[in-house]
Amino acid sequence: MALYYFHLDNNGTSFPDDGGTECQDVAVVRYEAINFLAEMTRNALPDGDDHKLVIVVKDGGGDLVFRASLFEVETGRLSASPPSPGHGTVGT
């Protein structure tokens, strides 16, 4: 098994993986990276919807193995508050 480093970026704040994770092959790396992003997305949602989550996986030599961005929402000029009941909601 080889050692891979799963580096996370959350809205421009980097969280480097200094310890690494042993994985059997690149298919396992891909699976683990996507699962990690999904979990980070679930954790980020309660903090608001202005997030950009990116994971970059590198091998022991520092070469890029996998990169994915799973969740990105940007709020535009419209109000970020939810519509009031009966105004623009489905089923009213």
Side-chain angles (χ1 to χ4, degrees), residues 34-54:
I34 290 170
N35 280 335
F36 184 62
L37 274 179
E39 182 65 27
M40 294 306 298
T41 299
R42 282 190 291 277
N43 292 337
L45 285 174
D47 294 336
D49 60 0
D50 287 334
H51 288 278
K52 182 176 183 183
L53 298 173
V54 179

Side-chain angles (χ1 to χ4, degrees), residues 65-88:
V65 174
F66 186 81
R67 180 184 185 283
S69 176
L70 184 65
F71 180 64
E72 181 175 1
V73 175
E74 296 178 12
T75 303
R77 295 181 349 187
L78 299 176
S79 170
S81 56
S84 59
H87 292 82

Side-chain angles (χ1 to χ4, degrees), residues 6-24:
F6 293 74
H7 306 292
L8 178 69
D9 185 289
N10 184 357
N11 290 336
T13 301
S14 295
F15 298 92
D17 176 4
D18 296 326
T21 301
E22 287 188 351
C23 294
Q24 185 174 348

